[in-house]
Amino acid sequence: KPEEKIYVSKQAADVGENSMEISEGEIYTLEELLYGLMLHSGNDAAYAISEGVAGDEKTFVDWMNIKARELELKNTYFADPSGLDDSTYSTPADLIKLTIYALNSPKFREIVKTFEIELTGNEHKYIYLQNQTNLLTTYPGVQGVKTGYTEDAGLCLVTYALNNGIEMVGVVLNSIDRKGDMILMLDHGFASEGVYIKHYLLD
């Protein structure tokens, strides 16, 4: 449940790489950690969620892979909660399936379309989060979803947009210009449905 409280362990706080800057001993709600996960790509949030929801990281990863099989993501394997382990893999087609499934959750939609949020509370420090490099404030109709990066995977981006009643989900993996690539894909996708998006992002 979004209001469920989760204690931050030393392991979660010390994961490294992208972080929402939580600290050992603090307590956050699941919803707060989801904002840190989706807006800031917080690896610390990913581990805190896995421990808080499943009891330990391994069990949560097992659940992730069970869900992948349920959704028939036939070319996807999760090795850890954060994606830092390079034995994790997926494909654009599987990530589109996963995104469409996630968008069935109103709470997920609410979180991923948030540009900025302040997390305040008595059980943790003040944290300000801003959606990192998606097209929320620049490309018409964009409402999330998530950036990603590892050295092996390169720059990655999953984007959801809604214009004139037409929904688009785009996936870019191993890009050197994920925003530019996504803009071209969204333009093409909407145009193929007869919706022509006006913007000046590539001028």
Side-chain angles (χ1 to χ4, degrees), residues 52-91:
V53 171
D56 62 82
E57 165 205 343
K58 182 184 181 304
T59 301
F60 192 82
V61 173
D62 288 343
W63 290 356
M64 291 168 72
N65 286 302
I66 290 169
K67 179 59 70 175
R69 290 194 294 273
E70 287 178 358
L71 297 177
E72 297 186 354
L73 308 184
K74 296 178 180 177
N75 297 293
T76 294
Y77 168 74
F78 299 111
D80 70 343
S82 68
L84 288 176
D85 186 323
D86 283 323
S87 59
T88 291
Y89 59 83
S90 192
T91 64

Side-chain angles (χ1 to χ4, degrees), residues 35-52:
Y35 276 104
L37 178 75
M38 300 307 295
L39 271 62
H40 246 240
S41 289
N43 297 313
D44 50 356
Y47 273 80
I49 289 168
S50 72
E51 294 170 356

Side-chain angles (χ1 to χ4, degrees), residues 94-110:
D94 277 4
L95 290 173
I96 287 172
K97 282 185 184 178
L98 181 59
T99 301
I100 291 170
Y101 170 79
L103 288 168
N104 286 319
S105 162
K107 179 60 67 176
F108 180 82
R109 283 179 177 257
E110 174 190 327

Side-chain angles (χ1 to χ4, degrees), residues 2-189:
E3 65 275 13
E4 180 181 346
K5 291 187 176 183
I6 293 176
Y7 175 86
V8 180
S9 70
K10 185 177 191 311
Q11 179 191 15
D14 293 347
V15 171
E17 303 287 343
N18 270 29
S19 171
M20 69 174 286
E21 304 295 339
I22 56 180
S23 300
E24 179 185 2
E26 292 183 310
I27 297 173
Y28 292 82
T29 65
L30 174 60
E31 183 171 344
E32 289 174 324
L33 292 171
L34 287 170
Y35 276 104
L37 178 75
M38 300 307 295
L39 271 62
H40 246 240
S41 289
N43 297 313
D44 50 356
Y47 273 80
I49 289 168
S50 72
E51 294 170 356
V53 171
D56 62 82
E57 165 205 343
K58 182 184 181 304
T59 301
F60 192 82
V61 173
D62 288 343
W63 290 356
M64 291 168 72
N65 286 302
I66 290 169
K67 179 59 70 175
R69 290 194 294 273
E70 287 178 358
L71 297 177
E72 297 186 354
L73 308 184
K74 296 178 180 177
N75 297 293
T76 294
Y77 168 74
F78 299 111
D80 70 343
S82 68
L84 288 176
D85 186 323
D86 283 323
S87 59
T88 291
Y89 59 83
S90 192
T91 64
D94 277 4
L95 290 173
I96 287 172
K97 282 185 184 178
L98 181 59
T99 301
I100 291 170
Y101 170 79
L103 288 168
N104 286 319
S105 162
K107 179 60 67 176
F108 180 82
R109 283 179 177 257
E110 174 190 327
I111 290 170
V112 298
K113 72 179 183 182
T114 300
F115 177 66
E116 61 183 356
I117 191 170
E118 296 177 289
L119 304 182
T120 60
N122 298 324
E123 297 177 293
H124 61 75
K125 71 173 81 65
Y126 167 89
I127 292 183
Y128 170 77
L129 300 170
Q130 188 177 88
N131 211 307
Q132 289 190 324
T133 57
N134 216 318
L135 300 165
L136 275 172
T137 59
T138 53
Y139 191 96
V142 165
Q143 299 180 26
V145 173
K146 180 83 173 59
T147 61
Y149 173 79
T150 67
E151 192 169 327
D152 281 5
L155 294 168
C156 304
L157 180 61
V158 178
T159 299
Y160 167 70
L162 171 64
N163 285 294
N164 288 28
I166 303 296
E167 295 179 291
M168 288 286 160
V169 175
V171 174
V172 172
L173 303 179
N174 197 25
S175 173
I176 58 171
D177 179 15
R178 60 186 167 193
K179 290 171 73 174
D181 287 342
M182 185 61 71
I183 290 164
L184 292 171
M185 289 174 61
L186 291 174
D187 283 352
H188 175 76

Side-chain angles (χ1 to χ4, degrees), residues 183-198:
I183 290 164
L184 292 171
M185 289 174 61
L186 291 174
D187 283 352
H188 175 76
F190 281 114
S192 72
E193 296 293 326
V195 178
Y196 298 92
I197 307 299
K198 291 183 179 179

